Structure formats: C-alpha cells, structure tokens
Amino acid sequence: MSFNIVDVEKFEVLPNNQPNNNTYSFRGGNPIISINVPAQAKLLRPSSVRINGRLRVMTSARGLPDPNNIKAGGVVDIKIPSRVGVNACIQNVNISSEATNQTLESVRQYGRLVNHILSNTHSPDDFQNEKSITNLCTALQSTTDNLVIEDTDFSIPLYCGMFMGGNPIPLSANGVNGLTINLELASDNQALTGANAGDNAGAFYELSNISLTGDYLIPDDKGMSQLSVAGSGAFQYNSYSSLYSVINSSDATQTYNLANSNVLSVVHSFLPVSHSNNYAQNSFANGELLNRDGAGAYNQGVNLTKVSFSRGGVKLGLDYEMDCTTQSAQGRPETQISLNAINAFKEFSKASRFLNQPQMDGFGGRDLIPSVDACLELNNTPPAGAAIETRSGRQTTQEIDVGVRNFLIGLALDRVSDVGVNFKGTSYSTRIQSTLDGNSPNAIFTYVLSKNTLQYSPNGIMVMS
C-alpha cells in the first residue's frame, strides 16, 4: 500500500511494567523493559524511534565512579565500552505484534551488534560529537569514562533491521497490529569493566525515566480508510538475527543454518570465551583472534592466513580465498577482509565514515596512540600510567588513549538487486585458516541481515522469511 501523508504527530510512550521506583536494574531484579505502541490507523516512521532515559553507574557501595580523578577525590575506575556506550546495558531486543504476539525481530547480543554497526558506519568525529551526547560513547575510552561520573541522560535509536529500514510501518490491523518492544538488560559484569568494577560485590548500573518517542505519519482520508478496514496484503522489512559458535582450530570450517530465503549480509566477530561477562575485560571488543599464554591469559595475537565463504560447498560472493598471510604476519591491517566487512553494512564505494583509521585502530602490537600537547588533570596530576615528558618547561602527557581494533569478517551478498540469497535448505559456511593453537577457544558472534515479508489478513499476520 502507498499513502499520501498529510501530517506528522510526535508521541511518547512509557513502559507498561514500570517499577515503583521507576528504575530498571539487572541487580535490582527488574531486567525487562516492555513498551507497547498501540494499534491505530497510522504509520510509524522507523528512523524516528528513540529509547530515552537516564543512566547511573555505581560502585557496589552505591558510590559514583571517577575513572580520571576529575574531582581529585581518588580514582574509581569503572567504565562503559567506548564504542557502545549505554547500548551495552541492553542484552536482547525482541519486537513483536501487540495484538498477536507474533515475533517480528529478535536480536540477541544486541550490544555487540551496535558496536559492529556504529564502528563501520560512523567516523571519530561522529562519535566525539553526536554519539557522545545520545549514546554516551566517544570511541575513545579516556573521554567516554568522563560521561558516567554523574547521572547522565541518553536518547538512543534502536539498531534493529526493522527500525533501520526506510519503509514506514503500518500500525493497524492492515500491518503489524501494534508493536510490543521488550528490552532485556545485560548483566552488570557484561556491561561494565574497569580496575574497580569487580571490587566487593561488583559495580552495577541503573536505568530510569525510560520512554519511547517517535513520529506517527498521518495519511489522508483515503489512506485512513485503507488502514481502518481489515483486509489482506503484505509489506517487507529487514531484520537481524544472531548466532553463536566457537572456533579453536588453525583450519576451521564453521557451518550455519541461516534458514532464510532473502539473506542480505552476514558478519562475524571474535572474543575469547573467558572475556564475556567479565568485569576485567571489554565484553564488546571487536578484536583479532587470540591465543593463550602459559598462564592462560589471552594475549598472543593470531595471524590470519586465509578466509573464504561458501553456500552449499560452492564459493559464495567471492570466487577466491582472501589471502592475508603477509599483512597479518607483519601486523598490518588485513585490507581485503576489512573492506568486505565494511561493505556488509554499507556499500564500500559509498562508505566514508568508519573507525578503521590509523588514529583509532590498533594493529597486531603496533598500536597507534592518539596524543595531545597537554592532557593534565584539574589537580595538575597526569592520568595514572601516562607517559610523561617535558616540553618548553611544561610537563605534559603523551598518551591519552590506545588504538584498539575494529576487526570483523563479513560479506554483502546482494549489492545489486537488494533481494538477497536463498539459504532455505542450503548451508552457509566460513573457512578460517590461522595460527590458532587448538588450546584457545574464541567465541564467534554472527549477525545475519535478512529481508522478511509480513502478510496480514482478517485472520491475523504471518512472517515469511
């Protein structure tokens, strides 16, 4: 259906399961935020949807963190991930029809997906400006730390396929018949990290003043009639799904059942299995594969040699294996792999905003360190661990942050027709050849972007994938 839009109406919806203290917390036993957008003869502009609220990060004794000793009251090192921000507090997102409870999109490990999307579609300037205000992330850990030393408001889009597409969503019975959005909060040791995060009972976070805002699109009288009278039809939307697996071999073929007839892209990222739900590690890192040392710590970089994709045993997307043996061994970026990963989020020929830049990206032990001429604390004491030098008689710091990798393996499957590839009854596989030692299991987080068709009728709705 096509509609002539004559007006735009702003709306705000509060959760339907608000606690007595209006505060959601994993530790406090209120880890689910449920919001209903009622069925009505209007359309929802997906790009306008925002989750608004206030974030408070606290020590186990309910004190506020101060990672950079800004107030000169002693360092309390508790962090949120610099490339994810407040999105780290959301573990899973489920979008369903309010009337039928039919699931329309379900994204697990949501915070990692946000990291993938933002790191490959936004520049350092984007992070330092708009994302620092809305998402509480700057892509530099040293500056992100300063955003959580007090209660801080946020306003974040939902980075789901359904809300990132451009098609308005009909909210009537001739459409999704209303929406229910359930946000499942992440555990505290998943969302937070830092030297003091695990002290005593561990640091934790709280979310309060939660609401959902957006735009209703109001059609003319003809459109209103079309939406008000139950009929039959269909509309298309995109959705993300997620899979989890483990790699622990120098020549590993991972096979997945995507079970979708219109797959647009697939991306994979890696994390040592012990780094998830761990106060001492960033659970959202997009790093390279790592081997363990003799003490069991994941700190030995793995060299990639070849990567390839296949469908039913036949090469997929690329008619060759991506050979990065020399680049990886020399600690240089694996350009061909990164190019295809970025292309999975946005056509690479048009991509101009991402974090794969020398100032932001560390490569195999040759990490570049952003620096400034003077980065002194307000009490005239340089940050702990900073390298100190004297210039023109003035003490300054060289280091303010260390570059960290934004590394993924991915592939766009249809940049021409935007229809996708059919994987119904056919497997999708990746072959990753590397120097993994067989004693260092690394988790693989896989995200699949697909095109779905929602069919509606007087009898209800059905999602065709």
mmCIF file of all heavy atoms in Angstrom, residues 56-98:
data_model
loop_
_atom_site.group_PDB
_atom_site.id
_atom_site.type_symbol
_atom_site.label_atom_id
_atom_site.label_comp_id
_atom_site.label_asym_id
_atom_site.label_seq_id
_atom_site.Cartn_x
_atom_site.Cartn_y
_atom_site.Cartn_z
ATOM 1 N N ARG A 56 22.753 5.593 35.445
ATOM 2 C CA ARG A 56 23.582 5.808 36.632
ATOM 3 C C ARG A 56 24.481 4.583 36.798
ATOM 4 O O ARG A 56 24.001 3.449 36.852
ATOM 5 C CB ARG A 56 22.728 6.007 37.876
ATOM 6 C CG ARG A 56 23.559 6.005 39.178
ATOM 7 C CD ARG A 56 22.700 6.193 40.408
ATOM 8 N NE ARG A 56 22.186 7.566 40.499
ATOM 9 C CZ ARG A 56 21.455 8.011 41.516
ATOM 10 N NH1 ARG A 56 21.135 7.192 42.507
ATOM 11 N NH2 ARG A 56 21.034 9.265 41.525
ATOM 12 N N VAL A 57 25.785 4.800 36.855
ATOM 13 C CA VAL A 57 26.764 3.749 37.110
ATOM 14 C C VAL A 57 27.288 3.933 38.524
ATOM 15 O O VAL A 57 27.645 5.046 38.919
ATOM 16 C CB VAL A 57 27.922 3.812 36.085
ATOM 17 C CG1 VAL A 57 28.996 2.791 36.435
ATOM 18 C CG2 VAL A 57 27.398 3.580 34.681
ATOM 19 N N MET A 58 27.351 2.826 39.302
ATOM 20 C CA MET A 58 27.718 2.939 40.714
ATOM 21 C C MET A 58 28.638 1.809 41.140
ATOM 22 O O MET A 58 28.638 0.722 40.561
ATOM 23 C CB MET A 58 26.456 2.914 41.583
ATOM 24 C CG MET A 58 25.630 4.187 41.516
ATOM 25 S SD MET A 58 24.091 4.043 42.425
ATOM 26 C CE MET A 58 23.174 2.978 41.315
ATOM 27 N N THR A 59 29.403 2.084 42.192
ATOM 28 C CA THR A 59 30.170 1.042 42.852
ATOM 29 C C THR A 59 29.216 0.165 43.655
ATOM 30 O O THR A 59 28.032 0.493 43.809
ATOM 31 C CB THR A 59 31.220 1.644 43.793
ATOM 32 O OG1 THR A 59 30.536 2.296 44.877
ATOM 33 C CG2 THR A 59 32.080 2.660 43.058
ATOM 34 N N SER A 60 29.718 -0.933 44.179
ATOM 35 C CA SER A 60 28.849 -1.823 44.967
ATOM 36 C C SER A 60 28.301 -1.116 46.202
ATOM 37 O O SER A 60 27.259 -1.494 46.730
ATOM 38 C CB SER A 60 29.629 -3.069 45.382
ATOM 39 O OG SER A 60 30.783 -2.720 46.130
ATOM 40 N N ALA A 61 28.992 -0.054 46.651
ATOM 41 C CA ALA A 61 28.518 0.720 47.807
ATOM 42 C C ALA A 61 27.684 1.922 47.393
ATOM 43 O O ALA A 61 27.458 2.832 48.194
ATOM 44 C CB ALA A 61 29.714 1.183 48.640
ATOM 45 N N ARG A 62 27.249 1.931 46.113
ATOM 46 C CA ARG A 62 26.413 2.983 45.544
ATOM 47 C C ARG A 62 27.152 4.317 45.424
ATOM 48 O O ARG A 62 26.532 5.382 45.363
ATOM 49 C CB ARG A 62 25.116 3.178 46.330
ATOM 50 C CG ARG A 62 24.226 1.950 46.388
ATOM 51 C CD ARG A 62 22.841 2.287 46.904
ATOM 52 N NE ARG A 62 22.085 3.071 45.947
ATOM 53 C CZ ARG A 62 21.384 2.558 44.933
ATOM 54 N NH1 ARG A 62 21.355 1.252 44.723
ATOM 55 N NH2 ARG A 62 20.720 3.358 44.117
ATOM 56 N N GLY A 63 28.473 4.279 45.349
ATOM 57 C CA GLY A 63 29.231 5.479 45.057
ATOM 58 C C GLY A 63 29.359 5.672 43.558
ATOM 59 O O GLY A 63 29.179 4.741 42.771
ATOM 60 N N LEU A 64 29.650 6.896 43.144
ATOM 61 C CA LEU A 64 29.799 7.191 41.727
ATOM 62 C C LEU A 64 31.244 6.962 41.283
ATOM 63 O O LEU A 64 32.182 7.202 42.045
ATOM 64 C CB LEU A 64 29.398 8.641 41.444
ATOM 65 C CG LEU A 64 27.920 8.978 41.648
ATOM 66 C CD1 LEU A 64 27.699 10.485 41.530
ATOM 67 C CD2 LEU A 64 27.043 8.247 40.634
ATOM 68 N N PRO A 65 31.448 6.490 40.052
ATOM 69 C CA PRO A 65 32.811 6.289 39.566
ATOM 70 C C PRO A 65 33.477 7.620 39.228
ATOM 71 O O PRO A 65 32.820 8.623 39.009
ATOM 72 C CB PRO A 65 32.609 5.443 38.299
ATOM 73 C CG PRO A 65 31.252 5.836 37.810
ATOM 74 C CD PRO A 65 30.437 6.105 39.058
ATOM 75 N N ASP A 66 34.800 7.594 39.175
ATOM 76 C CA ASP A 66 35.580 8.763 38.762
ATOM 77 C C ASP A 66 36.872 8.249 38.133
ATOM 78 O O ASP A 66 37.951 8.354 38.713
ATOM 79 C CB ASP A 66 35.877 9.657 39.962
ATOM 80 C CG ASP A 66 36.369 11.044 39.530
ATOM 81 O OD1 ASP A 66 36.537 11.241 38.313
ATOM 82 O OD2 ASP A 66 36.585 11.895 40.395
ATOM 83 N N PRO A 67 36.783 7.660 36.931
ATOM 84 C CA PRO A 67 37.937 6.966 36.346
ATOM 85 C C PRO A 67 39.144 7.863 36.123
ATOM 86 O O PRO A 67 40.270 7.385 36.154
ATOM 87 C CB PRO A 67 37.384 6.441 35.020
ATOM 88 C CG PRO A 67 35.905 6.414 35.182
ATOM 89 C CD PRO A 67 35.597 7.552 36.080
ATOM 90 N N ASN A 68 38.926 9.141 35.867
ATOM 91 C CA ASN A 68 40.045 10.024 35.547
ATOM 92 C C ASN A 68 40.399 10.988 36.669
ATOM 93 O O ASN A 68 41.136 11.946 36.472
ATOM 94 C CB ASN A 68 39.738 10.817 34.270
ATOM 95 C CG ASN A 68 39.874 9.954 33.041
ATOM 96 O OD1 ASN A 68 40.635 8.997 33.034
ATOM 97 N ND2 ASN A 68 39.125 10.278 32.004
ATOM 98 N N ASN A 69 39.850 10.755 37.878
ATOM 99 C CA ASN A 69 40.188 11.593 39.025
ATOM 100 C C ASN A 69 39.888 13.064 38.760
ATOM 101 O O ASN A 69 40.613 13.964 39.183
ATOM 102 C CB ASN A 69 41.673 11.420 39.377
ATOM 103 C CG ASN A 69 42.012 11.982 40.758
ATOM 104 O OD1 ASN A 69 41.150 12.076 41.608
ATOM 105 N ND2 ASN A 69 43.259 12.347 40.952
ATOM 106 N N ILE A 70 38.805 13.319 38.020
ATOM 107 C CA ILE A 70 38.471 14.688 37.635
ATOM 108 C C ILE A 70 38.206 15.563 38.863
ATOM 109 O O ILE A 70 38.578 16.730 38.908
ATOM 110 C CB ILE A 70 37.255 14.686 36.691
ATOM 111 C CG1 ILE A 70 37.699 14.185 35.316
ATOM 112 C CG2 ILE A 70 36.646 16.065 36.570
ATOM 113 C CD1 ILE A 70 36.590 14.121 34.313
ATOM 114 N N LYS A 71 37.569 14.984 39.849
ATOM 115 C CA LYS A 71 37.235 15.763 41.045
ATOM 116 C C LYS A 71 38.339 15.711 42.095
ATOM 117 O O LYS A 71 38.160 16.193 43.206
ATOM 118 C CB LYS A 71 35.929 15.230 41.649
ATOM 119 C CG LYS A 71 34.735 15.330 40.716
ATOM 120 C CD LYS A 71 33.511 14.729 41.377
ATOM 121 C CE LYS A 71 32.323 14.756 40.433
ATOM 122 N NZ LYS A 71 31.140 14.121 41.022
ATOM 123 N N ALA A 72 39.456 15.074 41.736
ATOM 124 C CA ALA A 72 40.592 14.965 42.659
ATOM 125 C C ALA A 72 40.196 14.277 43.958
ATOM 126 O O ALA A 72 40.743 14.542 45.012
ATOM 127 C CB ALA A 72 41.186 16.339 42.960
ATOM 128 N N GLY A 73 39.247 13.349 43.850
ATOM 129 C CA GLY A 73 38.793 12.642 45.039
ATOM 130 C C GLY A 73 39.230 11.196 45.062
ATOM 131 O O GLY A 73 38.694 10.398 45.819
ATOM 132 N N GLY A 74 40.183 10.810 44.244
ATOM 133 C CA GLY A 74 40.624 9.424 44.182
ATOM 134 C C GLY A 74 40.028 8.721 42.983
ATOM 135 O O GLY A 74 38.859 8.892 42.662
ATOM 136 N N VAL A 75 40.838 7.929 42.299
ATOM 137 C CA VAL A 75 40.390 7.253 41.094
ATOM 138 C C VAL A 75 39.479 6.086 41.448
ATOM 139 O O VAL A 75 39.810 5.249 42.281
ATOM 140 C CB VAL A 75 41.596 6.737 40.281
ATOM 141 C CG1 VAL A 75 41.127 5.910 39.095
ATOM 142 C CG2 VAL A 75 42.435 7.912 39.803
ATOM 143 N N VAL A 76 38.299 6.024 40.834
ATOM 144 C CA VAL A 76 37.398 4.881 40.921
ATOM 145 C C VAL A 76 37.152 4.434 39.492
ATOM 146 O O VAL A 76 36.366 5.043 38.767
ATOM 147 C CB VAL A 76 36.072 5.241 41.630
ATOM 148 C CG1 VAL A 76 35.183 4.007 41.719
ATOM 149 C CG2 VAL A 76 36.335 5.806 43.013
ATOM 150 N N ASP A 77 37.858 3.403 39.068
ATOM 151 C CA ASP A 77 37.923 3.017 37.668
ATOM 152 C C ASP A 77 36.807 2.046 37.308
ATOM 153 O O ASP A 77 36.931 0.832 37.484
ATOM 154 C CB ASP A 77 39.291 2.397 37.371
ATOM 155 C CG ASP A 77 39.472 2.100 35.892
ATOM 156 O OD1 ASP A 77 38.696 2.634 35.091
ATOM 157 O OD2 ASP A 77 40.379 1.322 35.557
ATOM 158 N N ILE A 78 35.690 2.581 36.827
ATOM 159 C CA ILE A 78 34.564 1.787 36.318
ATOM 160 C C ILE A 78 34.168 2.384 34.978
ATOM 161 O O ILE A 78 33.920 3.585 34.885
ATOM 162 C CB ILE A 78 33.366 1.803 37.294
ATOM 163 C CG1 ILE A 78 33.780 1.263 38.668
ATOM 164 C CG2 ILE A 78 32.216 0.984 36.738
ATOM 165 C CD1 ILE A 78 32.717 1.427 39.719
ATOM 166 N N LYS A 79 34.087 1.553 33.948
ATOM 167 C CA LYS A 79 33.911 2.060 32.588
ATOM 168 C C LYS A 79 32.706 1.415 31.912
ATOM 169 O O LYS A 79 32.283 0.322 32.279
ATOM 170 C CB LYS A 79 35.153 1.736 31.743
ATOM 171 C CG LYS A 79 36.486 2.121 32.334
ATOM 172 C CD LYS A 79 37.622 1.601 31.463
ATOM 173 C CE LYS A 79 38.987 1.882 32.095
ATOM 174 N NZ LYS A 79 39.277 3.320 32.114
ATOM 175 N N ILE A 80 32.176 2.130 30.896
ATOM 176 C CA ILE A 80 31.299 1.516 29.919
ATOM 177 C C ILE A 80 32.076 1.492 28.602
ATOM 178 O O ILE A 80 32.970 2.309 28.377
ATOM 179 C CB ILE A 80 29.959 2.269 29.757
ATOM 180 C CG1 ILE A 80 30.194 3.725 29.318
ATOM 181 C CG2 ILE A 80 29.145 2.213 31.025
ATOM 182 C CD1 ILE A 80 28.908 4.470 29.005
ATOM 183 N N PRO A 81 31.789 0.552 27.701
ATOM 184 C CA PRO A 81 32.582 0.419 26.472
ATOM 185 C C PRO A 81 32.532 1.684 25.623
ATOM 186 O O PRO A 81 31.474 2.266 25.400
ATOM 187 C CB PRO A 81 31.927 -0.760 25.749
ATOM 188 C CG PRO A 81 31.241 -1.526 26.818
ATOM 189 C CD PRO A 81 30.779 -0.512 27.810
ATOM 190 N N SER A 82 33.685 2.113 25.126
ATOM 191 C CA SER A 82 33.798 3.403 24.455
ATOM 192 C C SER A 82 33.110 3.447 23.104
ATOM 193 O O SER A 82 32.825 4.518 22.585
ATOM 194 C CB SER A 82 35.272 3.775 24.284
ATOM 195 O OG SER A 82 35.920 2.864 23.415
ATOM 196 N N ARG A 83 32.851 2.296 22.472
ATOM 197 C CA ARG A 83 32.223 2.270 21.152
ATOM 198 C C ARG A 83 30.770 1.793 21.214
ATOM 199 O O ARG A 83 30.116 1.669 20.187
ATOM 200 C CB ARG A 83 33.017 1.381 20.196
ATOM 201 C CG ARG A 83 34.444 1.891 19.982
ATOM 202 C CD ARG A 83 35.226 1.031 19.018
ATOM 203 N NE ARG A 83 36.571 1.571 18.812
ATOM 204 C CZ ARG A 83 37.476 1.072 17.993
ATOM 205 N NH1 ARG A 83 37.181 -0.010 17.284
ATOM 206 N NH2 ARG A 83 38.664 1.620 17.873
ATOM 207 N N VAL A 84 30.292 1.517 22.417
ATOM 208 C CA VAL A 84 28.928 1.010 22.590
ATOM 209 C C VAL A 84 28.112 1.923 23.500
ATOM 210 O O VAL A 84 26.930 2.141 23.276
ATOM 211 C CB VAL A 84 28.945 -0.425 23.159
ATOM 212 C CG1 VAL A 84 27.536 -1.007 23.220
ATOM 213 C CG2 VAL A 84 29.849 -1.331 22.329
ATOM 214 N N GLY A 85 28.752 2.451 24.544
ATOM 215 C CA GLY A 85 28.057 3.360 25.440
ATOM 216 C C GLY A 85 26.911 2.685 26.167
ATOM 217 O O GLY A 85 26.988 1.521 26.572
ATOM 218 N N VAL A 86 25.817 3.407 26.328
ATOM 219 C CA VAL A 86 24.690 2.907 27.101
ATOM 220 C C VAL A 86 24.031 1.700 26.435
ATOM 221 O O VAL A 86 23.329 0.921 27.093
ATOM 222 C CB VAL A 86 23.661 4.045 27.320
ATOM 223 C CG1 VAL A 86 22.951 4.399 26.024
ATOM 224 C CG2 VAL A 86 22.644 3.669 28.394
ATOM 225 N N ASN A 87 24.269 1.481 25.140
ATOM 226 C CA ASN A 87 23.729 0.299 24.475
ATOM 227 C C ASN A 87 24.249 -0.990 25.097
ATOM 228 O O ASN A 87 23.647 -2.052 24.933
ATOM 229 C CB ASN A 87 24.086 0.319 22.982
ATOM 230 C CG ASN A 87 23.480 1.496 22.263
ATOM 231 O OD1 ASN A 87 22.290 1.532 21.973
ATOM 232 N ND2 ASN A 87 24.312 2.500 21.965
ATOM 233 N N ALA A 88 25.387 -0.923 25.806
ATOM 234 C CA ALA A 88 25.936 -2.099 26.470
ATOM 235 C C ALA A 88 24.993 -2.640 27.538
ATOM 236 O O ALA A 88 25.102 -3.804 27.936
ATOM 237 C CB ALA A 88 27.292 -1.762 27.087
ATOM 238 N N CYS A 89 24.075 -1.801 28.006
ATOM 239 C CA CYS A 89 23.137 -2.224 29.050
ATOM 240 C C CYS A 89 21.993 -3.076 28.503
ATOM 241 O O CYS A 89 21.195 -3.606 29.286
ATOM 242 C CB CYS A 89 22.565 -0.999 29.755
ATOM 243 S SG CYS A 89 23.809 0.040 30.553
ATOM 244 N N ILE A 90 21.887 -3.199 27.188
ATOM 245 C CA ILE A 90 20.796 -3.976 26.569
ATOM 246 C C ILE A 90 21.381 -5.258 26.006
ATOM 247 O O ILE A 90 22.243 -5.223 25.127
ATOM 248 C CB ILE A 90 20.103 -3.171 25.466
ATOM 249 C CG1 ILE A 90 19.557 -1.857 26.017
ATOM 250 C CG2 ILE A 90 18.973 -3.989 24.843
ATOM 251 C CD1 ILE A 90 18.948 -0.948 24.969
ATOM 252 N N GLN A 91 20.913 -6.379 26.505
ATOM 253 C CA GLN A 91 21.416 -7.678 26.060
ATOM 254 C C GLN A 91 20.645 -8.210 24.856
ATOM 255 O O GLN A 91 21.225 -8.628 23.866
ATOM 256 C CB GLN A 91 21.321 -8.691 27.206
ATOM 257 C CG GLN A 91 21.806 -10.091 26.871
ATOM 258 C CD GLN A 91 23.316 -10.210 26.824
ATOM 259 O OE1 GLN A 91 24.027 -9.231 27.052
ATOM 260 N NE2 GLN A 91 23.811 -11.384 26.520
ATOM 261 N N ASN A 92 19.315 -8.186 24.943
ATOM 262 C CA ASN A 92 18.468 -8.728 23.875
ATOM 263 C C ASN A 92 17.319 -7.768 23.582
ATOM 264 O O ASN A 92 16.814 -7.095 24.487
ATOM 265 C CB ASN A 92 17.885 -10.099 24.264
ATOM 266 C CG ASN A 92 18.958 -11.105 24.643
ATOM 267 O OD1 ASN A 92 19.986 -11.203 23.980
ATOM 268 N ND2 ASN A 92 18.714 -11.861 25.697
ATOM 269 N N VAL A 93 16.912 -7.736 22.319
ATOM 270 C CA VAL A 93 15.770 -6.926 21.884
ATOM 271 C C VAL A 93 14.798 -7.833 21.153
ATOM 272 O O VAL A 93 15.198 -8.577 20.242
ATOM 273 C CB VAL A 93 16.212 -5.775 20.961
ATOM 274 C CG1 VAL A 93 14.995 -5.013 20.430
ATOM 275 C CG2 VAL A 93 17.153 -4.827 21.685
ATOM 276 N N ASN A 94 13.549 -7.769 21.541
ATOM 277 C CA ASN A 94 12.514 -8.554 20.865
ATOM 278 C C ASN A 94 11.373 -7.629 20.457
ATOM 279 O O ASN A 94 10.837 -6.890 21.286
ATOM 280 C CB ASN A 94 11.983 -9.664 21.769
ATOM 281 C CG ASN A 94 11.041 -10.595 21.025
ATOM 282 O OD1 ASN A 94 11.471 -11.457 20.256
ATOM 283 N ND2 ASN A 94 9.737 -10.438 21.244
ATOM 284 N N ILE A 95 11.024 -7.647 19.172
ATOM 285 C CA ILE A 95 9.937 -6.824 18.634
ATOM 286 C C ILE A 95 8.847 -7.765 18.145
ATOM 287 O O ILE A 95 9.117 -8.671 17.341
ATOM 288 C CB ILE A 95 10.430 -5.934 17.483
ATOM 289 C CG1 ILE A 95 11.609 -5.067 17.947
ATOM 290 C CG2 ILE A 95 9.305 -5.051 16.963
ATOM 291 C CD1 ILE A 95 12.304 -4.339 16.820
ATOM 292 N N SER A 96 7.638 -7.545 18.608
ATOM 293 C CA SER A 96 6.532 -8.428 18.238
ATOM 294 C C SER A 96 5.268 -7.623 17.997
ATOM 295 O O SER A 96 5.185 -6.438 18.331
ATOM 296 C CB SER A 96 6.289 -9.483 19.327
ATOM 297 O OG SER A 96 5.978 -8.854 20.564
ATOM 298 N N SER A 97 4.260 -8.278 17.429
ATOM 299 C CA SER A 97 2.953 -7.653 17.236
ATOM 300 C C SER A 97 2.228 -7.580 18.573
ATOM 301 O O SER A 97 2.178 -8.562 19.312
ATOM 302 C CB SER A 97 2.134 -8.463 16.232
ATOM 303 O OG SER A 97 0.781 -8.054 16.243
ATOM 304 N N GLU A 98 1.688 -6.415 18.897
ATOM 305 C CA GLU A 98 0.981 -6.263 20.167
ATOM 306 C C GLU A 98 -0.260 -7.142 20.217
ATOM 307 O O GLU A 98 -0.574 -7.738 21.248
ATOM 308 C CB GLU A 98 0.595 -4.800 20.379
ATOM 309 C CG GLU A 98 -0.105 -4.551 21.707
ATOM 310 C CD GLU A 98 -0.750 -3.187 21.776
ATOM 311 O OE1 GLU A 98 -1.175 -2.673 20.719
ATOM 312 O OE2 GLU A 98 -0.847 -2.642 22.886
#
